[in-house]
Amino acid sequence: MSDFPYLLAMIAVPAVGAAAVAALPKGREGTARQLTLGVSLVVLLLAVLATIAFDAGGERFQLTTSVSWIPDFGVDFALGVDGIALVMLLLIGVLVPVVVVASWRDEPTGRRSMRAFWAWLLLLESMMVGVFAATDVFLFYVFFEAMLVPMYFLIGSFGGPRRQYAAVKFFLYSLVGGLVMLAAVIGLYVVSANELGEGTFAFDALRQIEIDPGVQKLLFLGFFVAFAIKAPLVPFHTWLPDSGAEAPIGGAVLLVGVLDKVGTFGFIRYCLPLFPDASRDLAPYVLVLAVAGILYAALLAMGQSDMKRLVSYTSIAHFGFIALGVFAFTTEATTGAVLYMVNHGIATGLLFLVVGMLIARGGSRLVGDYGGVAAQAPLLAGVFLVAGLASLALPGTNSFVSEFLVLIGSFPTRPVFTVLATVGIVLAALYVLLLYQRTMHGPPRGVLLEPAPETPAPATRGGGGATAATATLEAPAAAPARLRVRDLSRRELAVAAPMVAIVIALGFYPQPLIDLIEPAAAATMSDVGADPAGVSPEAPVEGTD
């Protein structure tokens, strides 16, 4: 295990890069985006090197760094990763450069400069790394709240027509959840002071203390509300369709690909190990929300006419599967849930990117404005198909393995919820294939058509011929001319090809990620009191007495 501070570097490099981009003089847009790409690639390299340095069979938290921050309150700037956090850092490292290249030709809205966009993007990357790497609960809370700021400005300054509404709604929902969690963080500190004689926010110390079951439930709910909003679970989900629809494509990719995962990561990292009794007692209620989200969001997705809102609703359904895996309390299901977090970020991120490419060509987000695109842009249609199939978890794509692990890991302990969740797989096939069929096949529609030149009315002879009005009615209707839809450019291929490769590679060989995740998942199940089969002695399997 290397002594190099990989995690600290992954936080500091994009933060410094954001400051450097913001300080560039006006008119240096090209330099700003090149610097942003370079910084994001450095973070990817650091994530890869951290993975190489990580020993999957070693200590639970590795690559640790700890510096006293607020000693009077026992707050440390403490960083460390287990396999669960590490794969999320890899996901960040992959997605941010892809977003940078995908946004390369974007133009700012209003008077905003793209330098601001690149600076906020790098600052967001720094905050996202911090929230997954923090091993001090107070530090986690600081990053949890701080990452709202750059995303707020990305949506509010560079988003769609209703960007201000979406940005404020996103910020308020997340802020309210964060304030509820702050109350629970303070309560946890008070409990630790009573139990240990000195208050602490250190995760390892907190998970060792015994907390009264009644107090556990209150603290669990404080953390759970914040994470359920961030995930989001139904009924805390209403901010995501608006934010996903109005965010710029790059921001939407990171919103559903990474930021939302903070919620499900929080369930695994904090709710289960710190409040095991409350987690077991309240799990059935959480599972009701998870399954309701799978079915409800899938049905809503099928009824959407806005492609970006449709993809946002699919994410809500997928988060239901992740929550099912987390609260099934088996190592297999938890491993599948974490792998699902990574695979969802890749698959849905790719789907958002290809939707953005389609919108850039047609200038419309409406499904009904497209049709017959595959005949003119086969590469675009092919990437769209791969992204859609990965989203519905077709065997051979990355999402299939994670969804399969969640279902087979959940069935022994939560059979009723698992069976209900499988209905969502059928619904996923419907909304994805309908979207693909309506946009890629059939005759061109809407924005892909342009009126042909008017056909003059035929000339009339003598006074007994048709009147001008009659001649117009009898003239053949002008058939609309078809607009040419360009296929993927080299830059767009550079964006899509790595994502497609990852979708296929993880579909056939996910074992390296599973090897990283499984030991941390098993340790979490040990914290929550589950036996090797995943059944907690205090939480009988459904259908038993």
Side-chain angles (χ1 to χ4, degrees):
M1 183 165 40
S2 173
D3 293 330
F4 183 81
Y6 290 105
L7 305 180
L8 188 59
M10 290 180 69
I11 295 172
V13 168
V16 173
V21 169
L24 287 173
K26 187 177 180 180
R28 301 291 296 275
E29 305 295 332
T31 303
R33 65 190 180 193
Q34 291 168 6
L35 180 57
T36 303
L37 178 60
V39 169
S40 65
L41 290 174
V42 170
V43 175
L44 173 58
L45 176 62
L46 288 170
V48 172
L49 294 176
T51 304
I52 295 172
F54 187 86
D55 179 9
E59 297 179 4
R60 181 171 182 178
F61 289 97
Q62 301 176 37
L63 310 177
T64 56
T65 299
S66 183
V67 178
S68 180
W69 184 20
I70 312 175
D72 289 345
F73 292 98
V75 179
D76 296 327
F77 195 92
L79 306 174
V81 290
D82 57 3
I84 296 171
L86 184 60
V87 295
M88 296 309 300
L89 298 188
L90 282 171
L91 178 63
I92 295 170
V94 169
L95 286 183
V96 174
V98 168
V99 165
V100 173
V101 179
S103 307
W104 200 258
R105 300 293 183 190
D106 285 3
E107 295 294 334
T109 55
R111 299 180 180 179
R112 294 290 181 179
S113 165
M114 283 302 291
R115 285 184 300 110
F117 177 87
W118 303 122
W120 287 124
L121 188 65
L122 287 177
L123 184 60
L124 177 62
E125 182 175 29
S126 177
M127 298 298 102
M128 291 189 300
V129 171
V131 82
F132 289 110
T135 55
D136 182 280
V137 176
F138 186 81
L139 180 63
F140 168 83
Y141 171 77
V142 170
F143 281 120
F144 182 89
E145 293 288 69
M147 70 180 180
L148 302 181
V149 177
M151 181 53 73
Y152 169 81
F153 283 105
L154 286 174
I155 298 172
S157 300
F158 302 95
R162 301 177 71 242
R163 57 185 178 273
Q164 294 294 339
Y165 168 78
V168 170
K169 189 173 183 179
F170 159 77
F171 193 86
L172 289 179
Y173 266 69
S174 300
L175 183 63
V176 169
L179 291 176
V180 174
M181 185 171 72
L182 177 60
V185 168
I186 295 171
L188 191 59
Y189 179 82
V190 172
V191 170
S192 70
N194 293 334
E195 292 290 329
L196 303 175
E198 183 179 8
T200 182
F201 291 104
F203 174 77
D204 275 334
L206 290 172
R207 68 188 181 89
Q208 302 295 332
I209 64 177
E210 296 288 336
I211 305 176
D212 178 78
V215 176
Q216 272 196 45
K217 289 182 180 179
L218 292 175
L219 296 177
F220 172 91
L221 289 173
F223 279 85
F224 175 80
V225 168
F227 297 145
I229 291 173
K230 183 67 69 180
L233 291 182
V234 172
F236 308 101
H237 68 287
T238 58
W239 64 269
L240 181 57
D242 292 312
S243 300
E246 300 303 326
I249 288 297
V253 170
L254 294 179
L255 181 65
V256 302
V258 180
L259 261 74
D260 291 354
K261 306 302 189 311
V262 175
T264 48
F265 173 81
F267 292 152
I268 300 170
R269 170 59 61 82
Y270 296 103
C271 288
L272 269 59
L274 298 182
F275 318 114
D277 296 331
S279 297
R280 291 192 297 268
D281 292 343
L282 299 176
Y285 303 100
V286 179
L287 291 170
V288 169
L289 299 182
V291 173
I294 293 172
L295 302 178
Y296 176 69
L299 292 172
L300 287 179
M302 284 191 290
Q304 295 303 307
S305 58
D306 184 318
M307 288 186 287
K308 292 176 73 177
R309 290 183 70 87
L310 190 155
V311 177
S312 298
Y313 275 113
T314 69
S315 295
I316 297 171
H318 293 152
F319 281 113
F321 279 103
I322 297 172
L324 171 63
V326 172
F327 286 90
F329 300 137
T330 71
T331 298
E332 197 168 36
T334 305
T335 301
V338 178
L339 187 60
Y340 209 137
M341 290 160 61
V342 177
N343 287 334
H344 172 267
I346 298 296
T348 305
L350 178 59
L351 188 56
F352 252 123
L353 288 171
V354 74
V355 164
M357 295 172 188
L358 187 59
I359 293 171
R361 285 156 172 78
S364 172
R365 303 186 330 210
L366 300 181
V367 176
D369 284 342
Y370 297 88
V373 174
Q376 299 189 49
L379 287 177
L380 175 61
V383 175
F384 202 141
L385 181 61
V386 171
L389 294 179
S391 184
L392 64 84
L394 186 79
T397 63
N398 60 338
S399 299
F400 170 75
V401 180
S402 45
E403 195 167 278
F404 182 72
L405 284 173
V406 166
L407 294 175
I408 64 172
S410 301
F411 187 79
T413 57
R414 307 291 181 183
V416 174
F417 291 111
T418 305
V419 170
L420 291 173
T422 57
V423 179
I425 300 175
V426 179
L427 297 177
L430 285 173
Y431 60 67
V432 168
L433 294 178
L434 286 173
L435 172 64
Y436 180 80
Q437 181 184 32
R438 290 169 180 170
T439 55
M440 297 293 116
H441 296 292
R445 296 190 298 273
V447 297
L448 301 185
L449 299 175
E450 63 179 359
E454 293 184 5
T455 304
T460 59
R461 294 183 179 178
T467 64
T470 306
T472 302
L473 291 173
E474 292 178 352
R482 186 172 183 174
L483 290 180
R484 179 65 189 170
V485 181
R486 62 180 175 85
D487 211 342
L488 297 182
S489 65
R490 291 182 180 179
R491 177 182 61 84
E492 290 170 330
L493 280 173
V495 171
M499 300 285 280
V500 171
I502 294 172
V503 165
I504 296 173
L506 292 180
F508 284 93
Y509 190 58
Q511 197 60 46
L513 289 185
I514 293 175
D515 289 340
L516 287 173
I517 296 166
E518 195 167 32
T524 302
M525 290 303 99
S526 177
D527 288 338
V528 83
D531 66 17
V535 182
S536 169
E538 293 85 356
V541 178
E542 292 172 9
T544 63
D545 296 328

